[in-house]
Amino acid sequence: MADLYSTLRQPLIAGNKSLGEVTNDVSGVLERKTSPLWWRAFMASLLFLLIGAAAITYQVATGIGTWGLNRTVGWAFDITNFVFWIGIGHAGTLISAVLFLFRQRWRTSVNRAAEAMTIIAVMCAGLFPLIHMGRPWLAFWMFPYPNMRGSLWVNFRSPLVWDFFAISTYFTISLVFWYVGLLPDLATIRDRAKAGIRKKIFGLLSLGWNGSLRTWNRYEVLYLLLAGLATPLVVSVHTIVSWDFATAVIPGWHSTILPPYFVAGAIFSGMAMVLTLMIIARKVMGLEDYITLRHLDVMSKLIIVTGSIVGLAYATEFFIAMYSENPYETFLFKNRALGPFAWAYWTMVLCNVISPQLLWFKRIRRNVAWVFVLTILINVGMWFERFVIVVTSLHRDYLPSSWTYYTPTLIEVLTLLGSFGLFFTGFLLFCRFLPVIAMAEVKGVLSHGHRSVRSGSR
Amino acid sequence: MSQRYLLGTFEREEDIVGVVKKVRELNYKIVDVYTPYAVHGLERTAGFAPSRLPWVCFALGLFGALFKVWFEFWTTASDWAINVGGKPWNSLPAYVPITFEVMVLFAGLSTVFAFFWSSRLFPGKKPIMPDIRVTNDRFVLVLEQEDSTFDVAKVQRIFKRFNTVKVEERQEGGQG
């Protein structure tokens, strides 16, 4: 639809590229020799992954008594990490599905990488409940299969079972969505490759894609359907994660605000992580023409929107606690802000509410270094948000004699580092072996297709 | 009986959209169009029927949801009923989240498999394309020369008007 272009708008992709140039720029990275920078980053991530693997092996072999949990704080680091990683994943689906439905054409240069990030983040998240089971080799018991114990079925009334279904559906649909989106690009790489192993592998993966309009016709319908399914799915997933808490009777957890608050927080943290990764990727892979300052700018605006929702939710929680005059609720929130975990609470407020306000300024939104620092701060802040929700709600319960403090053990910290190792190892492998930019989608938003007046949009 | 095809190669979206519109007005039989990316609306211009994938999505989504409600009811209330906190056997509201997830899972996966099946995409399939560059930067229009009234020179002139870079005739099976 050529008439969608306006001569007043900036182009989405800089450098006035032709179709062939896009193919060369994006696939060229995969065909060249691996850069030393990539190797260094990969080795570092792999090291963290191995440390994490050692920590996990130790705690599975010894038992989860290796954690810093106690009788009062029965949920802490593990569930914090789980909610954190699931949240990171959500921005990928937002970019690939929700922004697709809203016809935000700038998403084409970031959606592939954001979806890859989603898949790896969900893998990192899945790791934690698996470890928490204590006997991860029996994880398949979560699945309602006919068994020799009766059949004893899973309890479909339990939010933890809902969580299992939500996460596994989310992972499956995200993976399929990502793969379908990859098909045309896999075919492009297949057709560029000379005979050899690369051609064989990409030939197998691209399923004989030939760019026929009949296939494209179905493909576009399929993409729309998957986007339509993924959009309510992503909302449902973090809603269900929040129900792990909200269906309990613990003050601070038992709250109807939790689902929207979790969903907004998830997209907020995920956006920050997408930006962190994109800023690194555009620099390392030389993709400045594709991931432009304008992309940083619009994603920063989404951060302001979701960050403001999160900030409002913090305030609302406090207001409702005070307004309710429920002594337990009131105590809990005072304890959050002024109690022994006040340092965690104020770190969270500083990182999530105060520092993102800088993004109101265009000069900062278009400054790569500033955006990078702010996104790191938001990542830290959002981790602390989950920590605050989980731990401060538990550590001072109804019986003052059982009040306590929680400190993570080294094993728990190493497991968290290990999950970052897994995340970056996965992401680096993706950058090395698959096209980071959705070529077939980017080609559709170039002004190259049009010869006439409309090419003035350059 | 051998079948003859005429292939026109183009470089830009605007040209392929224009030429498809033109040959369709003149009632030539479009076998297929090959493009490196999804050109929105081109399938309507070429007169291809809309995809029926939404029906698959709807039907299997509905099936998944109904199946899951039945399954949850059967397991929790009938096959081995367990009293959980005195909740009713058929805790329908508690079934909602998983029913939704299973509906999405069924709808999504079945639509993807239906897509692979209807587009004949499977691992190991040899791609059949008119030009290796259609996955890179070329657009190819394939017309069928239905009978002797097909005037190659005339069609070539039309292609020329839309800045064709290559016109080619191929025999049956030649589009591959």
Side-chain angles (χ1 to χ4, degrees):
Chain A
M1 274 182 263
D3 8 18
L4 277 181
Y5 290 94
S6 149
T7 46
L8 297 171
R9 285 203 189 144
Q10 294 177 353
L12 291 165
I13 308 294
N16 192 14
K17 308 269 182 196
S18 71
L19 304 180
E21 280 170 327
V22 172
T23 313
N24 281 337
D25 287 351
V26 179
S27 340
V29 181
L30 313 176
E31 289 152 8
R32 260 176 262 134
K33 242 183 126 222
T34 320
S35 71
L37 197 63
W38 185 90
W39 272 112
R40 255 174 286 167
F42 181 72
M43 282 306 173
S45 317
L46 200 63
L47 181 70
F48 278 110
L49 175 60
L50 290 177
I51 292 173
I56 292 170
T57 313
Y58 176 75
Q59 61 199 304
V60 168
T62 319
I64 50 176
T66 49
W67 294 355
L69 298 181
N70 47 53
R71 222 178 32 176
T72 316
V73 182
W75 259 13
F77 224 70
D78 190 78
I79 195 87
T80 303
N81 297 337
F82 163 71
V83 180
F84 172 75
W85 280 118
I86 285 287
I88 296 292
H90 279 34
T93 318
L94 179 92
I95 291 177
S96 60
V98 183
L99 295 185
F100 175 77
L101 296 181
F102 281 103
R103 299 278 184 265
Q104 293 294 308
R105 290 158 71 94
W106 59 267
R107 68 181 260 294
T108 52
S109 14
V110 285
N111 74 331
R112 169 73 41 75
E115 285 169 45
M117 180 196 79
T118 295
I119 293 164
I120 306 162
V122 175
M123 286 198 256
C124 293
L127 200 62
F128 291 97
L130 209 63
I131 305 169
H132 206 157
M133 285 175 186
R135 290 182 289 172
W137 53 93
L138 296 179
F140 64 92
W141 282 9
M142 293 295 287
F143 191 79
Y145 66 101
N147 55 58
M148 298 296 284
R149 300 179 297 278
S151 294
L152 180 61
W153 302 104
V154 293
N155 177 14
F156 286 114
R157 300 183 191 96
S158 160
L160 300 179
V161 173
W162 303 348
D163 225 10
F164 168 75
F165 276 87
I167 304 299
S168 36
T169 301
Y170 184 47
F171 180 73
T172 315
I173 294 291
S174 301
L175 191 68
V176 164
F177 197 21
W178 182 65
Y179 180 60
V180 166
L182 263 169
L183 273 178
D185 287 1
L186 294 174
T188 304
I189 296 177
R190 171 199 68 203
D191 294 337
R192 277 170 66 89
K194 294 163 194 68
I197 187 89
R198 177 192 295 275
K199 189 153 189 110
K200 279 221 176 64
I201 291 175
F202 281 92
L204 211 59
L205 289 176
S206 57
L207 310 180
W209 178 274
N210 62 359
S212 148
L213 182 62
R214 292 175 197 282
T215 313
W216 276 120
N217 181 13
R218 296 189 194 101
Y219 174 89
E220 284 204 276
V221 172
L222 171 71
Y223 206 86
L224 183 67
L225 287 172
L226 285 179
L229 288 170
T231 302
L233 179 65
V234 72
V235 175
S236 86
V237 170
H238 230 61
T239 300
I240 291 176
V241 168
S242 81
W243 282 338
D244 290 347
F245 303 98
T247 55
V249 291
I250 311 286
W253 288 4
H254 187 71
S255 165
T256 46
I257 203 179
L258 251 66
Y261 165 24
F262 267 53
V263 172
I267 292 168
F268 178 54
S269 67
M271 264 306 165
M273 188 62 102
V274 173
L275 268 174
T276 313
L277 289 180
M278 288 302 112
I279 289 173
I280 300 174
R282 76 196 282 271
K283 187 87 202 149
V284 176
M285 329 261 305
L287 295 171
E288 277 97 342
D289 283 343
Y290 294 88
I291 303 162
T292 59
L293 289 182
R294 177 176 170 185
H295 289 99
L296 304 191
D297 186 80
V298 285
M299 286 198 274
S300 302
K301 284 179 185 164
L302 280 171
I303 287 190
I304 299 178
V305 174
T306 46
S308 305
I309 299 176
V310 169
L312 183 66
Y314 295 164
T316 310
E317 272 193 323
F318 256 91
F319 173 74
I320 294 297
M322 301 303 156
Y323 189 64
S324 72
E325 294 193 19
N326 176 329
Y328 299 106
E329 201 76 16
T330 314
F331 167 77
L332 176 102
F333 279 93
K334 278 189 188 150
N335 184 47
R336 255 188 202 174
L338 306 167
F341 282 105
W343 61 273
Y345 182 80
W346 292 107
T347 309
M348 166 188 105
V349 171
L350 187 72
C351 293
N352 289 351
V353 184
I354 298 170
S355 74
Q357 301 308 323
L358 285 172
L359 292 172
W360 287 102
F361 302 102
K362 191 170 185 174
R363 285 248 297 283
I364 295 201
R365 288 200 303 270
R366 284 180 177 258
N367 183 318
V368 182
W370 267 106
V371 174
F372 187 73
V373 172
L374 287 174
T375 57
I376 299 278
L377 283 179
I378 294 169
N379 283 322
V380 172
M382 282 309 291
W383 188 88
F384 271 103
E385 180 197 294
R386 280 63 179 254
F387 182 80
V388 165
I389 293 173
V390 177
V391 178
T392 61
S393 308
L394 290 175
H395 83 116
R396 285 186 166 174
D397 63 1
Y398 300 103
L399 193 65
S401 63
S402 58
W403 286 7
T404 175
Y405 195 75
Y406 164 80
T407 327
T409 59
L410 182 65
I411 288 294
E412 286 176 286
V413 178
L414 292 183
T415 312
L416 173 62
L417 288 182
S419 70
F420 275 96
L422 174 63
F423 182 71
F424 285 106
T425 308
F427 193 78
L428 285 165
L429 285 174
F430 156 73
C431 289
R432 181 69 194 87
F433 293 108
L434 290 170
V436 184
I437 306 273
M439 291 184 271
E441 289 195 45
V442 164
K443 285 173 187 171
V445 301
L446 294 174
S447 39
H448 173 265
H450 313 281
R451 291 174 189 279
S452 43
V453 208
R454 290 177 211 101
S455 54
S457 64
R458 279 161 197 174
Chain B
M1 199 183 89
S2 91
Q3 190 56 63
R4 295 169 67 80
Y5 299 95
L6 189 69
L7 284 73
T9 307
F10 302 85
E11 274 185 317
R12 297 189 193 232
E13 181 181 328
E14 192 178 303
D15 298 334
I16 191 82
V17 172
V19 77
V20 167
K21 199 177 213 166
K22 189 75 199 165
V23 296
R24 180 118 161 89
E25 274 167 17
L26 299 173
N27 267 328
Y28 288 106
K29 190 174 172 197
I30 299 171
V31 177
D32 211 336
V33 187
Y34 295 85
T35 61
Y37 59 87
V39 178
H40 302 299
L42 187 59
E43 70 282 354
R44 274 193 300 279
T45 316
F48 289 176
S51 164
R52 282 166 308 194
L53 286 176
W55 290 106
V56 177
C57 184
F58 176 74
L60 270 289
L62 191 67
F63 170 77
L66 291 176
F67 169 76
K68 195 61 194 170
V69 171
W70 169 80
F71 184 74
E72 283 175 296
F73 189 78
W74 177 70
T75 51
T76 8
S78 152
D79 187 49
W80 186 333
I82 290 178
N83 187 339
V84 179
K87 285 173 192 154
W89 300 119
N90 57 342
S91 328
L92 271 176
Y95 298 163
V96 170
I98 297 188
T99 305
F100 174 77
E101 300 302 328
V102 172
M103 178 190 79
V104 169
L105 189 66
F106 268 61
L109 287 183
S110 58
T111 316
V112 170
F113 285 118
F115 164 72
F116 287 157
W117 187 77
S118 57
S119 305
R120 313 275 184 282
L121 294 173
F122 51 86
K125 184 186 176 186
K126 289 264 170 295
I128 303 161
M129 4 189 221
D131 185 331
I132 198 137
R133 286 179 72 177
V134 292
T135 56
N136 179 6
D137 60 352
R138 286 289 186 269
F139 300 82
V140 176
L141 169 63
V142 184
L143 291 183
E144 187 179 324
Q145 306 188 7
E146 287 176 288
D147 46 37
S148 51
T149 59
F150 189 94
D151 183 353
V152 175
K154 187 179 165 203
V155 179
Q156 269 178 338
R157 274 198 304 279
I158 298 174
F159 284 5
K160 268 270 152 31
R161 225 181 322 142
F162 290 96
N163 311 301
T164 181
V165 285
K166 195 167 80 180
V167 184
E168 229 184 310
E169 275 194 84
R170 288 194 198 169
Q171 291 287 339
E172 186 170 36
Q175 58 159 321

